[in-house]
Short mmCIF file of all heavy atoms in Angstrom, two decimals:
data_model
loop_
_atom_site.label_atom_id
_atom_site.label_comp_id
_atom_site.label_asym_id
_atom_site.label_seq_id
_atom_site.Cartn_x
_atom_site.Cartn_y
_atom_site.Cartn_z
N LEU A 229 -0.98 -93.61 14.69
CA LEU A 229 -0.06 -93.74 15.80
C LEU A 229 1.35 -93.90 15.23
O LEU A 229 1.56 -94.71 14.33
CB LEU A 229 -0.41 -94.96 16.66
CG LEU A 229 0.50 -95.25 17.87
CD1 LEU A 229 -0.30 -95.89 19.01
CD2 LEU A 229 1.68 -96.18 17.52
N TRP A 230 2.28 -93.11 15.75
CA TRP A 230 3.68 -93.21 15.35
C TRP A 230 4.52 -93.68 16.53
O TRP A 230 4.31 -93.26 17.68
CB TRP A 230 4.22 -91.85 14.90
CG TRP A 230 3.64 -91.32 13.63
CD1 TRP A 230 2.69 -91.89 12.82
CD2 TRP A 230 3.98 -90.07 13.02
NE1 TRP A 230 2.43 -91.08 11.76
CE2 TRP A 230 3.20 -89.95 11.84
CE3 TRP A 230 4.85 -89.03 13.35
CZ2 TRP A 230 3.27 -88.84 11.01
CZ3 TRP A 230 4.94 -87.93 12.51
CH2 TRP A 230 4.15 -87.83 11.35
N THR A 231 5.47 -94.55 16.24
CA THR A 231 6.43 -94.97 17.26
C THR A 231 7.77 -95.20 16.57
O THR A 231 7.97 -94.86 15.41
CB THR A 231 5.92 -96.20 18.02
OG1 THR A 231 6.80 -96.48 19.13
CG2 THR A 231 5.84 -97.44 17.14
N THR A 232 8.70 -95.78 17.28
CA THR A 232 10.03 -96.08 16.75
C THR A 232 10.05 -97.49 16.16
O THR A 232 9.37 -98.38 16.68
CB THR A 232 11.10 -95.96 17.84
OG1 THR A 232 12.34 -96.52 17.38
CG2 THR A 232 10.69 -96.73 19.10
N PRO A 233 10.84 -97.73 15.11
CA PRO A 233 10.94 -99.11 14.60
C PRO A 233 11.80 -100.01 15.48
O PRO A 233 11.69 -101.23 15.38
CB PRO A 233 11.58 -98.93 13.22
CG PRO A 233 12.28 -97.62 13.26
CD PRO A 233 11.53 -96.76 14.24
N ILE A 234 12.63 -99.41 16.36
CA ILE A 234 13.50 -100.22 17.22
C ILE A 234 12.85 -100.34 18.59
O ILE A 234 13.12 -99.57 19.53
CB ILE A 234 14.92 -99.63 17.32
CG1 ILE A 234 15.57 -99.59 15.93
CG2 ILE A 234 15.78 -100.45 18.28
CD1 ILE A 234 15.79 -100.96 15.29
N THR A 235 11.97 -101.31 18.70
CA THR A 235 11.27 -101.61 19.94
C THR A 235 10.60 -102.96 19.76
O THR A 235 10.57 -103.51 18.65
CB THR A 235 10.22 -100.53 20.28
OG1 THR A 235 9.57 -100.85 21.52
CG2 THR A 235 9.16 -100.42 19.19
N PHE A 236 10.04 -103.50 20.84
CA PHE A 236 9.26 -104.72 20.71
C PHE A 236 7.96 -104.39 19.99
O PHE A 236 7.43 -103.27 20.09
CB PHE A 236 8.99 -105.34 22.07
CG PHE A 236 8.33 -106.69 22.00
CD1 PHE A 236 8.91 -107.72 21.29
CD2 PHE A 236 7.12 -106.92 22.65
CE1 PHE A 236 8.29 -108.96 21.20
CE2 PHE A 236 6.51 -108.15 22.58
CZ PHE A 236 7.09 -109.18 21.85
N VAL A 237 7.39 -105.37 19.30
CA VAL A 237 6.22 -105.13 18.45
C VAL A 237 5.02 -104.56 19.20
O VAL A 237 4.16 -103.90 18.61
CB VAL A 237 5.81 -106.41 17.70
CG1 VAL A 237 6.86 -106.81 16.68
CG2 VAL A 237 5.53 -107.56 18.67
N ALA A 238 4.96 -104.77 20.52
CA ALA A 238 3.81 -104.28 21.29
C ALA A 238 3.65 -102.77 21.22
O ALA A 238 2.52 -102.27 21.29
CB ALA A 238 3.95 -104.71 22.76
N SER A 239 4.76 -102.05 21.07
CA SER A 239 4.69 -100.58 21.01
C SER A 239 3.92 -100.10 19.80
O SER A 239 3.39 -98.99 19.80
CB SER A 239 6.10 -99.98 20.98
OG SER A 239 6.88 -100.44 22.05
N ALA A 240 3.87 -100.91 18.76
CA ALA A 240 3.12 -100.58 17.55
C ALA A 240 1.77 -101.29 17.52
O ALA A 240 0.74 -100.72 17.13
CB ALA A 240 3.92 -100.95 16.30
N ASN A 241 1.77 -102.56 17.95
CA ASN A 241 0.54 -103.36 17.89
C ASN A 241 -0.61 -102.72 18.66
O ASN A 241 -1.77 -102.88 18.29
CB ASN A 241 0.79 -104.76 18.42
CG ASN A 241 1.66 -105.60 17.50
OD1 ASN A 241 1.91 -105.23 16.36
ND2 ASN A 241 2.11 -106.74 18.00
N CYS A 242 -0.29 -102.01 19.74
CA CYS A 242 -1.35 -101.40 20.55
C CYS A 242 -2.21 -100.45 19.72
O CYS A 242 -3.41 -100.30 19.98
CB CYS A 242 -0.77 -100.69 21.76
SG CYS A 242 0.41 -99.38 21.38
N GLY A 243 -1.62 -99.82 18.73
CA GLY A 243 -2.40 -98.97 17.84
C GLY A 243 -3.31 -99.77 16.94
O GLY A 243 -4.48 -99.41 16.72
N LEU A 244 -2.79 -100.90 16.44
CA LEU A 244 -3.61 -101.75 15.58
C LEU A 244 -4.81 -102.31 16.33
O LEU A 244 -5.89 -102.48 15.76
CB LEU A 244 -2.77 -102.90 15.02
CG LEU A 244 -1.53 -102.52 14.20
CD1 LEU A 244 -0.84 -103.77 13.67
CD2 LEU A 244 -1.90 -101.58 13.06
N TYR A 245 -4.62 -102.63 17.62
CA TYR A 245 -5.73 -103.14 18.43
C TYR A 245 -6.92 -102.17 18.43
O TYR A 245 -8.07 -102.58 18.59
CB TYR A 245 -5.32 -103.36 19.88
CG TYR A 245 -4.20 -104.34 20.13
CD1 TYR A 245 -3.44 -104.25 21.29
CD2 TYR A 245 -3.89 -105.34 19.23
CE1 TYR A 245 -2.41 -105.14 21.54
CE2 TYR A 245 -2.86 -106.23 19.47
CZ TYR A 245 -2.12 -106.13 20.63
OH TYR A 245 -1.10 -107.00 20.89
N CYS A 246 -6.61 -100.89 18.28
CA CYS A 246 -7.65 -99.85 18.33
C CYS A 246 -8.20 -99.50 16.95
O CYS A 246 -9.05 -98.61 16.83
CB CYS A 246 -7.08 -98.58 18.98
SG CYS A 246 -6.49 -98.80 20.67
N GLY A 247 -7.72 -100.18 15.92
CA GLY A 247 -8.15 -99.87 14.57
C GLY A 247 -7.38 -98.75 13.92
O GLY A 247 -7.72 -98.30 12.82
N ALA A 248 -6.34 -98.26 14.58
CA ALA A 248 -5.54 -97.16 14.05
C ALA A 248 -4.53 -97.67 13.02
O ALA A 248 -4.26 -98.87 12.92
CB ALA A 248 -4.82 -96.44 15.19
N LYS A 249 -3.96 -96.74 12.29
CA LYS A 249 -2.87 -97.03 11.37
C LYS A 249 -1.55 -96.66 12.05
O LYS A 249 -1.49 -95.68 12.80
CB LYS A 249 -3.05 -96.25 10.08
CG LYS A 249 -4.30 -96.64 9.31
CD LYS A 249 -4.48 -95.80 8.05
CE LYS A 249 -5.75 -96.21 7.31
NZ LYS A 249 -5.97 -95.38 6.11
N VAL A 250 -0.52 -97.44 11.79
CA VAL A 250 0.76 -97.28 12.47
C VAL A 250 1.84 -96.86 11.48
O VAL A 250 1.89 -97.34 10.35
CB VAL A 250 1.17 -98.60 13.17
CG1 VAL A 250 2.59 -98.52 13.71
CG2 VAL A 250 0.19 -98.93 14.29
N ASP A 251 2.69 -95.93 11.92
CA ASP A 251 3.86 -95.55 11.15
C ASP A 251 5.02 -95.35 12.12
O ASP A 251 4.83 -95.39 13.35
CB ASP A 251 3.59 -94.27 10.35
CG ASP A 251 4.52 -94.11 9.14
OD1 ASP A 251 5.48 -94.90 9.02
OD2 ASP A 251 4.31 -93.19 8.34
N PHE A 252 6.20 -95.13 11.59
CA PHE A 252 7.40 -95.11 12.41
C PHE A 252 8.23 -93.85 12.14
O PHE A 252 8.13 -93.23 11.08
CB PHE A 252 8.25 -96.35 12.13
CG PHE A 252 7.51 -97.63 12.37
CD1 PHE A 252 6.90 -98.30 11.32
CD2 PHE A 252 7.38 -98.15 13.64
CE1 PHE A 252 6.19 -99.48 11.53
CE2 PHE A 252 6.68 -99.33 13.87
CZ PHE A 252 6.07 -99.98 12.81
N VAL A 253 9.04 -93.51 13.12
CA VAL A 253 9.99 -92.40 13.02
C VAL A 253 11.38 -92.99 13.25
O VAL A 253 11.59 -93.70 14.24
CB VAL A 253 9.70 -91.31 14.07
CG1 VAL A 253 10.73 -90.19 13.98
CG2 VAL A 253 8.28 -90.77 13.92
N ASP A 254 12.32 -92.70 12.38
CA ASP A 254 13.65 -93.29 12.47
C ASP A 254 14.36 -92.84 13.75
O ASP A 254 13.97 -91.87 14.41
CB ASP A 254 14.48 -92.95 11.24
CG ASP A 254 15.42 -94.09 10.83
OD1 ASP A 254 15.66 -95.00 11.65
OD2 ASP A 254 15.92 -94.07 9.69
N ILE A 255 15.42 -93.56 14.08
CA ILE A 255 16.10 -93.37 15.36
C ILE A 255 17.24 -92.37 15.28
O ILE A 255 17.77 -92.08 14.20
CB ILE A 255 16.64 -94.72 15.90
CG1 ILE A 255 17.71 -95.29 14.95
CG2 ILE A 255 15.50 -95.70 16.11
CD1 ILE A 255 18.47 -96.48 15.52
N ASP A 256 17.62 -91.87 16.44
CA ASP A 256 18.85 -91.11 16.59
C ASP A 256 20.00 -92.12 16.58
O ASP A 256 19.97 -93.09 17.35
CB ASP A 256 18.81 -90.34 17.92
CG ASP A 256 20.06 -89.51 18.15
OD1 ASP A 256 21.15 -90.12 18.27
OD2 ASP A 256 19.97 -88.27 18.23
N PRO A 257 21.02 -91.94 15.74
CA PRO A 257 22.08 -92.96 15.63
C PRO A 257 22.97 -93.05 16.86
O PRO A 257 23.75 -94.00 16.98
CB PRO A 257 22.87 -92.49 14.40
CG PRO A 257 22.62 -91.03 14.31
CD PRO A 257 21.22 -90.82 14.80
N THR A 258 22.85 -92.10 17.77
CA THR A 258 23.67 -92.12 18.98
C THR A 258 22.96 -92.75 20.16
O THR A 258 23.51 -93.58 20.88
CB THR A 258 24.11 -90.68 19.36
OG1 THR A 258 24.78 -90.09 18.25
CG2 THR A 258 25.03 -90.69 20.57
N THR A 259 21.70 -92.35 20.37
CA THR A 259 20.95 -92.87 21.52
C THR A 259 20.10 -94.09 21.17
O THR A 259 19.68 -94.81 22.07
CB THR A 259 20.01 -91.80 22.08
OG1 THR A 259 19.00 -91.49 21.10
CG2 THR A 259 20.77 -90.53 22.44
N TYR A 260 19.80 -94.28 19.88
CA TYR A 260 18.95 -95.36 19.36
C TYR A 260 17.47 -95.15 19.70
O TYR A 260 16.64 -96.02 19.41
CB TYR A 260 19.41 -96.74 19.85
CG TYR A 260 20.91 -96.94 19.83
CD1 TYR A 260 21.55 -97.68 20.82
CD2 TYR A 260 21.70 -96.38 18.83
CE1 TYR A 260 22.93 -97.86 20.80
CE2 TYR A 260 23.07 -96.55 18.80
CZ TYR A 260 23.68 -97.29 19.80
OH TYR A 260 25.05 -97.45 19.78
N ASN A 261 17.14 -94.03 20.28
CA ASN A 261 15.75 -93.66 20.55
C ASN A 261 15.17 -92.89 19.38
O ASN A 261 15.89 -92.45 18.48
CB ASN A 261 15.66 -92.80 21.82
CG ASN A 261 15.85 -93.61 23.09
OD1 ASN A 261 15.54 -94.79 23.14
ND2 ASN A 261 16.35 -92.97 24.13
N MET A 262 13.85 -92.67 19.42
CA MET A 262 13.19 -91.84 18.41
C MET A 262 13.90 -90.51 18.28
O MET A 262 14.18 -89.84 19.27
CB MET A 262 11.73 -91.61 18.81
CG MET A 262 10.95 -90.74 17.84
SD MET A 262 9.26 -90.43 18.41
CE MET A 262 8.50 -92.01 18.09
N CYS A 263 14.22 -90.14 17.03
CA CYS A 263 14.98 -88.90 16.77
C CYS A 263 14.02 -87.72 16.69
O CYS A 263 13.15 -87.69 15.80
CB CYS A 263 15.75 -89.05 15.48
SG CYS A 263 16.64 -87.55 15.00
N PRO A 264 14.13 -86.73 17.57
CA PRO A 264 13.24 -85.57 17.50
C PRO A 264 13.32 -84.81 16.17
O PRO A 264 12.31 -84.30 15.68
CB PRO A 264 13.70 -84.69 18.67
CG PRO A 264 14.34 -85.63 19.62
CD PRO A 264 15.00 -86.67 18.77
N ALA A 265 14.51 -84.75 15.58
CA ALA A 265 14.65 -84.06 14.30
C ALA A 265 13.91 -84.80 13.19
O ALA A 265 13.23 -84.18 12.36
CB ALA A 265 16.13 -83.92 13.94
N LYS A 266 14.02 -86.12 13.19
CA LYS A 266 13.29 -86.93 12.21
C LYS A 266 11.79 -86.82 12.45
O LYS A 266 10.99 -86.79 11.50
CB LYS A 266 13.72 -88.39 12.29
CG LYS A 266 15.16 -88.67 11.90
CD LYS A 266 15.35 -88.55 10.40
CE LYS A 266 16.75 -88.97 9.99
NZ LYS A 266 16.98 -88.80 8.53
N LEU A 267 11.40 -86.76 13.72
CA LEU A 267 9.99 -86.60 14.07
C LEU A 267 9.46 -85.28 13.52
O LEU A 267 8.38 -85.24 12.90
CB LEU A 267 9.81 -86.67 15.58
CG LEU A 267 8.40 -86.40 16.11
CD1 LEU A 267 7.39 -87.41 15.55
CD2 LEU A 267 8.39 -86.44 17.66
N GLU A 268 10.22 -84.21 13.70
CA GLU A 268 9.77 -82.90 13.21
C GLU A 268 9.65 -82.89 11.69
O GLU A 268 8.67 -82.37 11.13
CB GLU A 268 10.72 -81.81 13.69
CG GLU A 268 10.25 -80.41 13.32
CD GLU A 268 11.08 -79.31 13.94
OE1 GLU A 268 12.23 -79.58 14.33
OE2 GLU A 268 10.57 -78.17 14.02
N GLU A 269 10.63 -83.48 11.01
CA GLU A 269 10.57 -83.56 9.56
C GLU A 269 9.30 -84.28 9.10
O GLU A 269 8.61 -83.83 8.18
CB GLU A 269 11.80 -84.32 9.02
CG GLU A 269 13.10 -83.57 9.12
CD GLU A 269 14.28 -84.44 8.68
OE1 GLU A 269 14.02 -85.51 8.09
OE2 GLU A 269 15.43 -84.06 8.95
N LYS A 270 9.00 -85.37 9.76
CA LYS A 270 7.83 -86.18 9.38
C LYS A 270 6.54 -85.43 9.69
O LYS A 270 5.56 -85.52 8.94
CB LYS A 270 7.89 -87.52 10.10
CG LYS A 270 6.99 -88.61 9.53
CD LYS A 270 7.23 -89.91 10.27
CE LYS A 270 6.40 -91.04 9.68
NZ LYS A 270 7.07 -91.72 8.56
N LEU A 271 6.53 -84.69 10.80
CA LEU A 271 5.34 -83.91 11.17
C LEU A 271 5.07 -82.78 10.18
O LEU A 271 3.91 -82.50 9.84
CB LEU A 271 5.52 -83.34 12.58
CG LEU A 271 5.41 -84.34 13.74
CD1 LEU A 271 5.96 -83.72 15.02
CD2 LEU A 271 3.97 -84.81 13.94
N ILE A 272 6.12 -82.12 9.71
CA ILE A 272 5.95 -81.04 8.72
C ILE A 272 5.28 -81.58 7.47
O ILE A 272 4.31 -80.99 6.94
CB ILE A 272 7.32 -80.40 8.40
CG1 ILE A 272 7.83 -79.62 9.61
CG2 ILE A 272 7.20 -79.48 7.19
CD1 ILE A 272 9.28 -79.18 9.49
N THR A 273 5.77 -82.73 7.00
CA THR A 273 5.17 -83.35 5.82
C THR A 273 3.74 -83.80 6.10
O THR A 273 2.84 -83.60 5.26
CB THR A 273 6.02 -84.56 5.37
OG1 THR A 273 7.35 -84.12 5.08
CG2 THR A 273 5.42 -85.23 4.15
N ALA A 274 3.53 -84.40 7.28
CA ALA A 274 2.20 -84.92 7.61
C ALA A 274 1.17 -83.79 7.72
O ALA A 274 0.02 -83.95 7.32
CB ALA A 274 2.27 -85.69 8.92
N ARG A 275 1.57 -82.65 8.26
CA ARG A 275 0.64 -81.53 8.37
C ARG A 275 0.25 -81.03 6.97
O ARG A 275 -0.92 -80.72 6.73
CB ARG A 275 1.24 -80.39 9.19
CG ARG A 275 0.28 -79.22 9.35
CD ARG A 275 0.59 -78.35 10.54
NE ARG A 275 1.90 -77.73 10.47
CZ ARG A 275 2.43 -77.00 11.47
NH1 ARG A 275 1.73 -76.83 12.59
NH2 ARG A 275 3.62 -76.48 11.34
N ALA A 276 1.21 -80.97 6.08
CA ALA A 276 0.92 -80.52 4.71
C ALA A 276 -0.03 -81.49 4.00
O ALA A 276 -0.85 -81.08 3.17
CB ALA A 276 2.22 -80.41 3.92
N GLU A 277 0.05 -82.77 4.38
CA GLU A 277 -0.80 -83.79 3.75
C GLU A 277 -2.08 -84.05 4.54
O GLU A 277 -2.91 -84.86 4.11
CB GLU A 277 -0.01 -85.10 3.61
CG GLU A 277 1.19 -85.00 2.70
CD GLU A 277 2.02 -86.27 2.68
OE1 GLU A 277 1.80 -87.15 3.55
OE2 GLU A 277 2.91 -86.39 1.81
N GLY A 278 -2.25 -83.37 5.68
CA GLY A 278 -3.42 -83.61 6.52
C GLY A 278 -3.44 -84.98 7.16
O GLY A 278 -4.51 -85.57 7.36
N LYS A 279 -2.25 -85.48 7.52
CA LYS A 279 -2.14 -86.84 8.08
C LYS A 279 -1.32 -86.85 9.37
O LYS A 279 -0.43 -87.69 9.56
CB LYS A 279 -1.49 -87.77 7.05
CG LYS A 279 -2.31 -87.95 5.79
CD LYS A 279 -1.60 -88.88 4.81
CE LYS A 279 -2.41 -89.08 3.54
NZ LYS A 279 -1.70 -89.96 2.56
N LEU A 280 -1.63 -85.94 10.27
CA LEU A 280 -0.90 -85.88 11.54
C LEU A 280 -1.30 -87.03 12.46
O LEU A 280 -2.46 -87.48 12.45
CB LEU A 280 -1.18 -84.55 12.24
CG LEU A 280 -0.48 -83.32 11.65
CD1 LEU A 280 -1.03 -82.05 12.26
CD2 LEU A 280 1.03 -83.41 11.86
N PRO A 281 -0.37 -87.49 13.29
CA PRO A 281 -0.69 -88.58 14.23
C PRO A 281 -1.54 -88.08 15.39
O PRO A 281 -1.43 -86.92 15.81
CB PRO A 281 0.68 -89.03 14.72
CG PRO A 281 1.51 -87.78 14.65
CD PRO A 281 1.03 -87.06 13.41
N LYS A 282 -2.37 -88.96 15.92
CA LYS A 282 -3.12 -88.65 17.12
C LYS A 282 -2.30 -88.98 18.37
O LYS A 282 -2.39 -88.30 19.39
CB LYS A 282 -4.43 -89.44 17.16
CG LYS A 282 -5.36 -89.05 18.31
CD LYS A 282 -6.76 -89.56 18.10
CE LYS A 282 -7.71 -89.00 19.14
NZ LYS A 282 -9.12 -89.39 18.85
N VAL A 283 -1.49 -90.04 18.27
CA VAL A 283 -0.66 -90.49 19.40
C VAL A 283 0.75 -90.79 18.89
O VAL A 283 0.91 -91.39 17.82
CB VAL A 283 -1.25 -91.76 20.05
CG1 VAL A 283 -0.30 -92.32 21.11
CG2 VAL A 283 -2.62 -91.47 20.68
N VAL A 284 1.74 -90.37 19.66
CA VAL A 284 3.14 -90.73 19.40
C VAL A 284 3.66 -91.48 20.63
O VAL A 284 3.44 -91.05 21.77
CB VAL A 284 4.01 -89.49 19.12
CG1 VAL A 284 5.49 -89.85 19.06
CG2 VAL A 284 3.58 -88.84 17.81
N ILE A 285 4.34 -92.60 20.37
CA ILE A 285 4.90 -93.41 21.47
C ILE A 285 6.41 -93.46 21.35
O ILE A 285 6.97 -94.30 20.63
CB ILE A 285 4.32 -94.84 21.47
CG1 ILE A 285 2.80 -94.82 21.59
CG2 ILE A 285 4.93 -95.65 22.61
CD1 ILE A 285 2.15 -96.19 21.69
N PRO A 286 7.12 -92.55 22.04
CA PRO A 286 8.58 -92.69 22.15
C PRO A 286 8.91 -93.82 23.12
O PRO A 286 8.18 -94.03 24.11
CB PRO A 286 9.03 -91.33 22.70
CG PRO A 286 7.83 -90.76 23.37
CD PRO A 286 6.62 -91.37 22.74
N VAL A 287 9.96 -94.56 22.83
CA VAL A 287 10.35 -95.72 23.64
C VAL A 287 11.72 -95.47 24.25
O VAL A 287 12.67 -95.15 23.54
CB VAL A 287 10.38 -97.00 22.78
CG1 VAL A 287 10.82 -98.20 23.62
CG2 VAL A 287 9.01 -97.27 22.16
N HIS A 288 11.83 -95.62 25.55
CA HIS A 288 13.10 -95.42 26.25
C HIS A 288 13.94 -96.70 26.13
O HIS A 288 14.03 -97.50 27.07
CB HIS A 288 12.87 -95.07 27.71
CG HIS A 288 12.03 -93.85 27.93
ND1 HIS A 288 12.07 -92.76 27.11
CD2 HIS A 288 11.13 -93.54 28.91
CE1 HIS A 288 11.24 -91.83 27.55
NE2 HIS A 288 10.66 -92.28 28.63
#
Side-chain angles (χ1 to χ4, degrees):
L229 179 148
W230 292 0
T231 188
T232 168
I234 299 297
T235 181
F236 187 57
V237 293
S239 306
N241 289 349
C242 59
L244 302 182
Y245 299 157
C246 300
K249 296 177 181 178
V250 172
D251 202 352
F252 303 96
V253 178
D254 214 344
I255 63 170
D256 180 296
T258 304
T259 66
Y260 318 144
N261 285 331
M262 179 183 286
C263 176
K266 294 287 186 183
L267 175 60
E268 185 172 21
E269 289 175 12
K270 197 175 183 87
L271 287 165
I272 291 169
T273 301
R275 181 158 62 185
E277 296 175 348
K279 296 179 180 179
L280 285 169
K282 187 164 188 174
V283 173
V284 171
I285 302 184
V287 178
H288 303 325

